[in-house]
Coordinates of all heavy atoms in Angstrom, one line a residue:
M1 N 0.9 -1.2 0.0 CA 0.0 0.0 0.0 C 0.9 1.2 0.0 O 1.8 1.4 0.8 CB -0.9 0.0 1.3 CG -2.0 1.0 1.2 SD -2.9 1.1 2.8 CE -3.8 -0.4 2.8
N2 N 0.6 2.1 -0.9 CA 1.5 3.3 -0.9 C 0.9 4.4 -0.1 O -0.2 4.3 0.5 CB 1.7 3.8 -2.4 CG 0.4 4.2 -3.1 OD1 -0.5 4.7 -2.4 ND2 0.3 4.0 -4.4
A3 N 1.6 5.5 0.1 CA 1.2 6.6 1.0 C -0.1 7.2 0.6 O -0.9 7.5 1.4 CB 2.3 7.7 1.0
E4 N -0.3 7.3 -0.7 CA -1.6 7.9 -1.2 C -2.8 7.0 -0.8 O -3.8 7.6 -0.4 CB -1.5 8.0 -2.7 CG -2.4 9.1 -3.3 CD -2.1 9.3 -4.8 OE1 -0.9 9.6 -5.2 OE2 -3.0 9.1 -5.6
E5 N -2.6 5.7 -0.9 CA -3.7 4.8 -0.5 C -4.0 4.9 1.0 O -5.2 4.9 1.4 CB -3.4 3.4 -0.9 CG -3.6 3.1 -2.4 CD -3.1 1.8 -2.8 OE1 -2.1 1.3 -2.2 OE2 -3.7 1.2 -3.8
K6 N -2.9 5.0 1.7 CA -3.1 5.1 3.2 C -3.8 6.3 3.6 O -4.7 6.3 4.4 CB -1.7 5.1 3.9 CG -1.1 3.7 4.1 CD 0.2 3.8 4.8 CE 0.9 2.5 4.8 NZ 2.3 2.6 5.2
L7 N -3.5 7.4 2.9 CA -4.1 8.7 3.2 C -5.6 8.6 2.8 O -6.4 9.1 3.6 CB -3.4 9.8 2.4 CG -3.9 11.2 2.6 CD1 -3.6 11.7 4.0 CD2 -3.3 12.2 1.6
R8 N -5.9 8.0 1.7 CA -7.3 7.9 1.3 C -8.1 7.1 2.3 O -9.2 7.5 2.7 CB -7.3 7.3 -0.1 CG -8.7 7.4 -0.8 CD -8.7 6.9 -2.2 NE -8.1 5.6 -2.3 CZ -8.8 4.5 -2.0 NH1 -10.0 4.5 -1.6 NH2 -8.2 3.3 -2.1
L9 N -7.5 6.0 2.7 CA -8.2 5.1 3.7 C -8.4 5.9 5.0 O -9.5 5.8 5.6 CB -7.3 3.9 4.0 CG -7.5 2.7 3.1 CD1 -6.6 1.6 3.5 CD2 -9.0 2.2 3.1
A10 N -7.4 6.7 5.4 CA -7.6 7.5 6.7 C -8.7 8.5 6.5 O -9.5 8.6 7.4 CB -6.2 8.2 7.0
E11 N -8.7 9.1 5.4 CA -9.8 10.1 5.1 C -11.2 9.4 5.1 O -12.1 10.0 5.7 CB -9.6 10.8 3.8 CG -8.5 11.9 3.9 CD -8.1 12.5 2.6 OE1 -8.6 12.0 1.6 OE2 -7.4 13.5 2.6
E12 N -11.3 8.2 4.6 CA -12.5 7.5 4.6 C -13.0 7.2 6.0 O -14.2 7.2 6.3 CB -12.4 6.2 3.7 CG -12.6 6.5 2.2 CD -12.4 5.3 1.4 OE1 -12.3 4.2 2.0 OE2 -12.2 5.4 0.2
R13 N -12.0 6.8 6.8 CA -12.3 6.5 8.2 C -12.8 7.7 8.9 O -13.8 7.6 9.7 CB -11.1 5.9 8.9 CG -11.1 4.3 8.9 CD -10.3 3.8 10.0 NE -8.9 4.2 9.9 CZ -8.0 3.5 9.1 NH1 -8.3 2.4 8.5 NH2 -6.8 3.9 9.0
V14 N -12.2 8.8 8.7 CA -12.6 10.0 9.4 C -14.0 10.4 8.9 O -14.9 10.7 9.7 CB -11.6 11.2 9.1 CG1 -12.2 12.5 9.5 CG2 -10.3 11.0 9.8
E15 N -14.3 10.3 7.7 CA -15.6 10.6 7.1 C -16.7 9.7 7.6 O -17.7 10.1 8.0 CB -15.5 10.5 5.6 CG -16.8 10.8 4.9 CD -17.4 12.2 5.2 OE1 -16.7 13.1 5.5 OE2 -18.7 12.3 5.1
A16 N -16.4 8.4 7.7 CA -17.3 7.4 8.2 C -17.6 7.7 9.7 O -18.8 7.6 10.1 CB -16.8 6.0 8.1
D17 N -16.6 8.1 10.4 CA -16.8 8.4 11.9 C -17.6 9.6 12.0 O -18.5 9.6 12.9 CB -15.4 8.6 12.5 CG -15.5 8.7 14.0 OD1 -16.1 7.8 14.6 OD2 -15.0 9.7 14.5
R18 N -17.4 10.6 11.2 CA -18.1 11.9 11.3 C -19.6 11.6 11.0 O -20.5 12.0 11.7 CB -17.6 12.8 10.2 CG -18.0 14.3 10.5 CD -17.3 15.2 9.4 NE -17.7 14.8 8.1 CZ -18.7 15.5 7.5 NH1 -19.3 16.5 8.0 NH2 -19.1 15.1 6.3
Q19 N -19.8 10.8 10.0 CA -21.2 10.4 9.6 C -21.9 9.7 10.7 O -23.1 9.9 10.9 CB -21.2 9.6 8.3 CG -22.5 9.5 7.6 CD -23.2 10.8 7.2 OE1 -22.5 11.7 6.6 NE2 -24.4 11.0 7.7
R20 N -21.2 8.8 11.3 CA -21.8 8.0 12.4 C -22.2 8.9 13.6 O -23.3 8.7 14.1 CB -20.8 7.0 13.0 CG -21.3 5.6 13.0 CD -20.4 4.6 13.7 NE -19.1 4.9 14.0 CZ -18.0 4.6 13.3 NH1 -18.2 3.9 12.2 NH2 -16.8 4.9 13.6
R21 N -21.4 9.9 13.9 CA -21.7 10.8 14.9 C -22.9 11.7 14.6 O -23.8 12.0 15.4 CB -20.5 11.7 15.3 CG -19.7 11.1 16.5 CD -18.5 11.9 16.8 NE -17.6 11.9 15.7 CZ -16.6 12.8 15.5 NH1 -16.4 13.7 16.4 NH2 -15.8 12.7 14.5
I22 N -23.0 12.1 13.3 CA -24.1 12.9 12.8 C -25.4 12.0 12.9 O -26.4 12.5 13.5 CB -23.9 13.4 11.4 CG1 -22.8 14.4 11.4 CG2 -25.2 13.9 10.8 CD1 -22.3 14.8 10.0
D23 N -25.3 10.8 12.5 CA -26.5 9.9 12.6 C -26.9 9.7 14.0 O -28.1 9.7 14.3 CB -26.1 8.5 12.0 CG -26.0 8.6 10.4 OD1 -26.4 9.6 9.9 OD2 -25.5 7.6 9.8
A24 N -26.0 9.5 14.9 CA -26.3 9.3 16.3 C -27.0 10.6 16.9 O -28.0 10.5 17.6 CB -25.1 9.0 17.1
A25 N -26.5 11.7 16.5 CA -27.1 13.0 17.0 C -28.5 13.1 16.5 O -29.4 13.5 17.2 CB -26.3 14.2 16.6
I26 N -28.7 12.8 15.2 CA -30.1 12.9 14.6 C -31.0 11.9 15.3 O -32.1 12.3 15.6 CB -30.0 12.7 13.1 CG1 -29.3 13.8 12.4 CG2 -31.4 12.5 12.5 CD1 -28.9 13.6 10.9
A27 N -30.5 10.7 15.5 CA -31.3 9.7 16.1 C -31.7 10.1 17.5 O -32.9 9.9 18.0 CB -30.6 8.4 16.2
A28 N -30.8 10.8 18.3 CA -31.1 11.2 19.6 C -32.2 12.2 19.6 O -33.0 12.3 20.5 CB -29.8 11.7 20.3
V29 N -32.1 13.1 18.7 CA -33.1 14.2 18.6 C -34.5 13.6 18.1 O -35.5 14.0 18.6 CB -32.7 15.3 17.7 CG1 -33.8 16.3 17.4 CG2 -31.5 16.0 18.3
A30 N -34.4 12.7 17.2 CA -35.6 12.2 16.6 C -36.3 11.1 17.4 O -37.5 10.9 17.3 CB -35.4 11.6 15.2
A31 N -35.5 10.5 18.3 CA -36.0 9.4 19.1 C -37.2 9.9 20.0 O -37.1 11.0 20.6 CB -34.9 8.9 20.0
P32 N -38.2 9.2 20.0 CA -39.3 9.6 20.9 C -38.9 9.6 22.3 O -38.1 8.8 22.7 CB -40.4 8.6 20.6 CG -39.8 7.4 20.0 CD -38.5 8.0 19.3
G33 N -39.5 10.5 23.1 CA -39.2 10.5 24.5 C -39.8 9.3 25.2 O -40.2 8.4 24.5
T34 N -39.7 9.3 26.5 CA -40.2 8.2 27.2 C -41.2 8.7 28.2 O -41.2 9.8 28.6 CB -39.0 7.4 27.9 OG1 -39.5 6.5 28.8 CG2 -38.1 8.4 28.6
D35 N -42.1 7.8 28.6 CA -43.2 8.2 29.6 C -42.6 8.3 31.0 O -43.2 9.0 31.8 CB -44.3 7.1 29.6 CG -45.1 7.2 28.3 OD1 -44.9 8.2 27.5 OD2 -46.0 6.4 28.1
S36 N -41.6 7.6 31.2 CA -41.0 7.6 32.6 C -39.6 8.0 32.6 O -38.8 7.6 31.6 CB -41.3 6.3 33.3 OG -40.8 5.2 32.5
C37 N -39.2 8.7 33.6 CA -37.8 9.2 33.8 C -36.8 8.0 33.8 O -37.0 7.0 34.5 CB -37.7 9.9 35.1 SG -36.1 10.4 35.5
I38 N -35.7 8.1 33.0 CA -34.7 7.0 32.9 C -33.9 7.0 34.2 O -33.2 6.0 34.5 CB -33.8 7.2 31.7 CG1 -33.0 8.5 31.7 CG2 -34.5 7.0 30.4 CD1 -31.8 8.5 30.8
D39 N -33.9 8.0 35.0 CA -33.2 8.0 36.3 C -34.0 7.5 37.5 O -33.5 6.7 38.2 CB -32.6 9.4 36.5 CG -31.4 9.7 35.7 OD1 -30.9 8.8 35.0 OD2 -30.9 10.9 35.8
C40 N -35.1 8.1 37.7 CA -35.9 7.7 38.9 C -37.1 6.9 38.5 O -37.7 6.3 39.5 CB -36.3 9.0 39.7 SG -37.6 9.9 38.9
G41 N -37.5 6.8 37.3 CA -38.6 5.9 36.9 C -40.0 6.6 37.1 O -41.0 6.0 36.7
D42 N -40.0 7.8 37.6 CA -41.3 8.5 37.8 C -41.8 8.9 36.4 O -41.1 9.0 35.5 CB -41.0 9.8 38.6 CG -41.1 9.5 40.1 OD1 -41.1 8.4 40.5 OD2 -41.0 10.5 40.8
A43 N -43.1 9.0 36.4 CA -43.8 9.4 35.1 C -43.4 10.9 34.8 O -43.2 11.7 35.7 CB -45.3 9.4 35.3
I44 N -43.1 11.1 33.5 CA -42.8 12.5 33.1 C -44.1 13.2 32.8 O -44.9 12.7 32.1 CB -41.8 12.4 31.9 CG1 -40.5 11.8 32.2 CG2 -41.6 13.9 31.3 CD1 -39.6 11.5 31.0
P45 N -44.3 14.3 33.4 CA -45.6 15.0 33.2 C -45.8 15.3 31.7 O -44.9 15.6 31.0 CB -45.4 16.4 34.0 CG -44.2 16.1 34.9 CD -43.4 15.1 34.3
E46 N -47.1 15.2 31.4 CA -47.4 15.4 30.0 C -47.0 16.7 29.4 O -46.5 16.8 28.3 CB -48.9 15.2 29.8 CG -49.3 15.0 28.3 CD -50.7 14.7 28.1 OE1 -51.5 14.7 29.0 OE2 -51.1 14.5 26.9
E47 N -47.1 17.8 30.2 CA -46.7 19.1 29.7 C -45.2 19.1 29.3 O -44.8 19.8 28.4 CB -47.1 20.2 30.6 CG -46.5 20.2 31.9 CD -47.4 19.6 33.0 OE1 -48.2 18.7 32.7 OE2 -47.3 20.1 34.2
R48 N -44.5 18.4 30.1 CA -43.0 18.4 29.9 C -42.8 17.6 28.6 O -41.9 17.9 27.8 CB -42.3 17.7 31.0 CG -40.8 17.5 30.7 CD -39.9 17.4 32.0 NE -38.6 17.0 31.7 CZ -37.6 17.7 31.1 NH1 -37.9 19.0 30.8 NH2 -36.4 17.3 30.9
R49 N -43.5 16.5 28.4 CA -43.3 15.7 27.2 C -43.7 16.4 25.9 O -43.1 16.2 24.9 CB -44.1 14.3 27.3 CG -43.4 13.3 28.2 CD -44.0 12.0 28.1 NE -45.1 11.9 29.0 CZ -46.4 11.5 28.6 NH1 -46.5 11.1 27.3 NH2 -47.3 11.4 29.4
I50 N -44.7 17.3 26.1 CA -45.1 18.1 24.9 C -44.1 19.2 24.7 O -43.7 19.4 23.5 CB -46.5 18.7 25.2 CG1 -47.6 17.6 25.2 CG2 -46.8 19.8 24.1 CD1 -48.9 18.0 25.7
A51 N -43.6 19.8 25.8 CA -42.6 20.9 25.6 C -41.3 20.4 25.2 O -40.6 21.0 24.4 CB -42.5 21.7 27.0
A52 N -40.9 19.2 25.6 CA -39.6 18.6 25.3 C -39.8 17.1 25.0 O -39.6 16.3 25.9 CB -38.7 18.8 26.4
P53 N -40.3 16.8 23.8 CA -40.6 15.4 23.4 C -39.4 14.5 23.5 O -39.6 13.2 23.6 CB -41.1 15.5 22.0 CG -41.4 16.9 21.7 CD -40.5 17.7 22.7
W54 N -38.2 15.0 23.5 CA -37.0 14.2 23.5 C -36.6 13.9 25.0 O -35.7 13.2 25.2 CB -35.9 14.8 22.8 CG -35.6 16.2 23.3 CD1 -34.8 16.5 24.4 CD2 -36.2 17.4 22.9 NE1 -34.9 17.9 24.6 CE2 -35.7 18.5 23.7 CE3 -37.1 17.8 21.9 CZ2 -36.1 19.8 23.5 CZ3 -37.5 19.1 21.7 CH2 -37.0 20.1 22.5
A55 N -37.3 14.5 25.9 CA -36.9 14.4 27.3 C -36.9 13.0 27.8 O -37.8 12.2 27.5 CB -37.8 15.3 28.2
K56 N -35.9 12.6 28.5 CA -35.8 11.2 29.0 C -35.8 11.2 30.6 O -35.7 10.2 31.2 CB -34.5 10.5 28.5 CG -34.6 10.3 27.0 CD -33.4 9.5 26.5 CE -33.6 9.1 25.0 NZ -33.8 10.3 24.2
R57 N -35.8 12.4 31.1 CA -35.8 12.6 32.6 C -36.9 13.5 33.0 O -37.3 14.4 32.3 CB -34.4 13.2 33.0 CG -33.2 12.2 32.9 CD -32.0 12.9 33.3 NE -30.8 12.0 33.1 CZ -30.2 11.8 32.0 NH1 -30.6 12.5 30.9 NH2 -29.2 11.0 31.9
C58 N -37.3 13.3 34.2 CA -38.3 14.3 34.8 C -37.5 15.6 35.1 O -36.3 15.6 35.0 CB -38.9 13.7 36.1 SG -37.7 13.5 37.4
I59 N -38.2 16.6 35.4 CA -37.6 17.9 35.5 C -36.5 17.9 36.6 O -35.4 18.4 36.5 CB -38.6 19.0 35.8 CG1 -39.5 19.1 34.6 CG2 -38.0 20.3 36.2 CD1 -40.8 19.9 34.9
E60 N -36.9 17.3 37.8 CA -35.9 17.2 38.9 C -34.6 16.5 38.5 O -33.5 17.0 38.8 CB -36.5 16.5 40.1 CG -37.5 17.4 40.9 CD -38.3 16.5 41.8 OE1 -37.8 15.7 42.5 OE2 -39.6 16.7 41.7
C61 N -34.8 15.3 37.9 CA -33.6 14.6 37.5 C -32.8 15.3 36.4 O -31.6 15.3 36.3 CB -33.9 13.2 37.0 SG -34.5 12.1 38.3
Q62 N -33.5 16.0 35.5 CA -32.8 16.7 34.4 C -32.0 17.9 35.0 O -30.8 18.1 34.6 CB -33.9 17.3 33.4 CG -33.2 18.0 32.2 CD -32.4 17.1 31.4 OE1 -32.8 15.9 31.1 NE2 -31.3 17.5 30.9
E63 N -32.6 18.5 36.0 CA -31.8 19.6 36.6 C -30.6 19.1 37.4 O -29.5 19.7 37.3 CB -32.8 20.4 37.6 CG -33.6 21.4 36.8 CD -34.7 22.0 37.7 OE1 -34.7 21.7 38.9 OE2 -35.4 22.9 37.2
F64 N -30.8 18.0 38.0 CA -29.7 17.3 38.8 C -28.6 16.9 37.8 O -27.4 17.2 38.0 CB -30.2 16.1 39.5 CG -29.2 15.4 40.3 CD1 -28.7 16.0 41.5 CD2 -28.6 14.2 39.9 CE1 -27.7 15.4 42.2 CE2 -27.7 13.6 40.7 CZ -27.2 14.2 41.8
Y65 N -29.0 16.3 36.7 CA -28.1 15.8 35.6 C -27.3 17.0 35.1 O -26.1 16.9 34.9 CB -28.9 15.2 34.6 CG -28.2 14.8 33.3 CD1 -27.4 13.6 33.3 CD2 -28.3 15.5 32.1 CE1 -26.7 13.3 32.2 CE2 -27.7 15.1 31.0 CZ -26.8 14.0 31.0 OH -26.2 13.7 29.9
E66 N -28.0 18.1 34.8 CA -27.3 19.2 34.2 C -26.4 19.9 35.2 O -25.3 20.3 34.9 CB -28.3 20.3 33.7 CG -28.9 19.8 32.3 CD -30.0 20.6 31.8 OE1 -30.3 21.7 32.4 OE2 -30.7 20.2 30.9
A67 N -26.8 20.0 36.5 CA -25.9 20.5 37.5 C -24.7 19.7 37.7 O -23.6 20.2 37.8 CB -26.7 20.6 38.8
E68 N -24.9 18.3 37.6 CA -23.7 17.4 37.7 C -22.8 17.6 36.6 O -21.6 17.7 36.7 CB -24.3 16.0 37.6 CG -24.7 15.4 38.9 CD -23.6 14.8 39.7 OE1 -23.1 13.7 39.4 OE2 -23.2 15.5 40.7
R69 N -23.3 17.7 35.4 CA -22.5 17.9 34.2 C -21.7 19.2 34.2 O -20.6 19.2 33.8 CB -23.4 17.8 33.0 CG -22.7 17.3 31.7 CD -23.7 17.2 30.6 NE -24.7 18.3 30.5 CZ -25.6 18.4 29.6 NH1 -25.7 17.6 28.7 NH2 -26.4 19.5 29.6
L70 N -22.4 20.2 34.7 CA -21.7 21.5 34.7 C -20.6 21.6 35.8 O -19.7 22.3 35.6 CB -22.8 22.6 35.0 CG -23.7 23.0 33.8 CD1 -24.7 24.0 34.2 CD2 -22.9 23.4 32.6
S71 N -20.8 20.8 36.8 CA -19.8 20.9 37.9 C -18.6 20.1 37.6 O -17.6 20.2 38.3 CB -20.5 20.3 39.2 OG -20.7 18.9 39.1
K72 N -18.6 19.3 36.5 CA -17.4 18.5 36.1 C -16.5 19.3 35.1 O -17.0 20.2 34.5 CB -17.9 17.2 35.5 CG -18.1 16.2 36.6 CD -18.8 14.9 36.1 CE -19.3 14.1 37.3 NZ -20.3 13.2 36.9
Ligands
LIG101 ZN1 -36.6 11.5 37.5

């Protein structure tokens, strides 16, 4: 394999990786939310599901999750 082929393969890998991340991001946004919080299992209020259909946590857990994430 010559240098040119190696470079091309590397570029293809980067492109495939980029595409995978884009697909994952789209899937995360498009994925329907859930009726119950993934952290505490409580039902997510309907108004929250309407306001944020992608929400996977109840408001309390979401706030906790975001506070945790920001503190790191
Ligand atoms: Zn919760």
Side-chain angles (χ1 to χ4, degrees):
M1 195 187 284
N2 63 34
E4 206 173 298
E5 282 172 330
K6 277 185 193 165
L7 184 65
R8 194 174 52 78
L9 274 179
E11 281 173 354
E12 277 174 16
R13 264 202 298 273
V14 168
E15 177 61 26
D17 187 53
R18 198 176 64 95
Q19 193 59 50
R20 232 187 349 260
R21 267 177 296 163
I22 291 170
D23 288 347
I26 290 170
V29 169
T34 168
D35 287 354
S36 51
C37 173
I38 58 165
D39 280 354
C40 71
D42 276 5
I44 296 174
E46 192 174 2
E47 62 259 34
R48 171 157 172 77
R49 280 190 280 127
I50 291 166
W54 56 87
K56 292 183 174 58
R57 290 178 180 83
C58 65
I59 294 164
E60 281 164 50
C61 290
Q62 185 63 40
E63 281 173 358
F64 182 73
Y65 172 76
E66 282 171 13
E68 276 275 284
R69 204 174 44 175
L70 287 176
S71 71
K72 275 170 194 161

